[in-house]
Amino acid sequence: GIQVEQSPPDLILQEGANSTLRCNFSDSVNNLQWFHQNPWGQLINLFYIPSGTKQNGRLSATTVATERYSLLYISSSQTTDSGVYFCAVGGYGGSQGNLIFGKGTKLSVKP
Amino acid sequence: GAVVSQHPSRVICKSGTSVKIECRSLDFQATTMFWYRQFPKKSLMLMATSNEGSKATYEQGVEKDKFLINHASLTLSTLTVTSAHPEDSSFYICSARDPATLVWVHEQFFGPGTRLTVL
């Protein structure tokens, strides 16, 4: 099956700093989503981005499908950005569209 | 975006009892829902794919007699953990895809999760 690797596993930032999170995947995908898991466990949809570039406020994401990676950019980070960021992909051979998750990047933003 | 709810949000039970978790799509109909499991400080692992009106498809290593899944309507899927034991303690999360979107859009929306503790 598809392998999903996220880096870095942990990231500590000072408030106001920018960061880039990376997601590599091992095969062609028809779905790629970025999530933020809040302290209560809720997965918040950030981007649905199997290819291309999207922006939403201080967050943006780019997926280069041909090179099998995606990047999540966080600018002017705030303490509320803290949490775990997951990349998840769905492959063409997957069972009815299920997602395969990376291990996540744990982001801590210090005031 | 589409909204998915789960109930209960937290449950504590004694070993040997059964626990039912409900997953509902609130503003759309979901022909397919997914059940994931997450251990502390770990990633999400797919347990099964739930299809409305038919049997669920379980991932390798997931006991279908232990984790009973029913998808009786287009807005409700249930996961029953039968004869629960402490090793079943985990965070269970469901997701659904809105089939009303374009056929090539596979975006999934997740419920808030259910934290199960078996004593």
Side-chain angles (χ1 to χ4, degrees):
Chain A
I2 296 179
Q3 305 298 312
V4 182
E5 293 184 359
Q6 289 187 244
S7 59
D10 296 278
L11 184 59
I12 300 175
L13 297 175
Q14 206 65 33
E15 196 169 26
N18 302 328
S19 63
T20 301
L21 282 59
R22 187 177 180 101
C23 172
N24 292 333
F25 43 96
S26 61
D27 205 345
S28 300
V29 298
N30 59 14
N31 184 1
L32 190 146
Q33 293 183 245
W34 282 98
F35 299 93
H36 176 209
Q37 188 168 39
N38 67 21
W40 297 272
Q42 171 78 63
L43 284 170
I44 310 297
N45 287 43
L46 298 178
F47 294 103
Y48 168 78
I49 189 166
S51 64
T53 298
K54 290 185 178 180
Q55 181 162 4
N56 184 2
R58 296 183 296 104
L59 302 181
S60 63
T62 295
T63 298
V64 184
T66 53
E67 297 187 22
R68 300 179 183 170
Y69 73 88
S70 182
L71 302 174
L72 176 69
Y73 305 97
I74 304 174
S75 64
S76 304
S77 59
Q78 300 175 358
T79 55
T80 52
D81 295 331
S82 296
V84 182
Y85 289 80
F86 286 106
C87 167
V89 304
Y92 290 96
S95 56
Q96 303 175 65
N98 62 284
L99 291 173
I100 300 166
F101 281 75
K103 293 184 177 180
T105 291
K106 183 178 180 181
L107 174 64
S108 299
V109 181
K110 305 298 184 184
Chain B
V3 180
V4 178
S5 71
Q6 273 185 250
H7 178 80
S9 58
R10 182 184 296 268
V11 58
I12 301 172
C13 68
K14 293 182 178 180
S15 186
T17 60
S18 294
V19 175
K20 180 184 283 188
I21 302 170
E22 293 186 348
C23 176
R24 294 182 184 273
S25 56
L26 297 186
D27 52 1
F28 66 100
Q29 294 181 326
T31 52
T32 303
M33 292 183 173
F34 305 91
W35 287 95
Y36 295 83
R37 184 175 181 176
Q38 185 180 29
F39 290 106
K41 302 187 186 300
K42 298 293 185 182
S43 188
L44 281 76
M45 299 295 293
L46 178 70
M47 298 176 64
T49 302
S50 169
N51 298 293
E52 186 268 337
S54 64
K55 292 183 178 180
T57 303
Y58 291 82
E59 295 300 299
Q60 192 172 9
V62 177
E63 300 177 60
K64 58 183 179 182
D65 294 332
K66 158 71 83 174
F67 300 100
L68 300 180
I69 291 173
N70 184 274
H71 194 155
S73 77
L74 287 172
T75 59
L76 173 64
S77 176
T78 60
L79 168 67
T80 301
V81 183
T82 62
S83 186
H85 288 92
E87 58 265 30
D88 299 323
S89 298
S90 192
F91 191 55
Y92 293 88
I93 311 175
C94 71
S95 72
R97 185 170 72 89
D98 183 355
T101 57
L102 298 173
V103 67
W104 56 83
V105 176
H106 299 274
E107 185 175 11
Q108 288 187 29
F109 298 89
F110 284 74
T114 297
R115 194 165 302 281
L116 170 63
T117 303
V118 185
L119 303 177

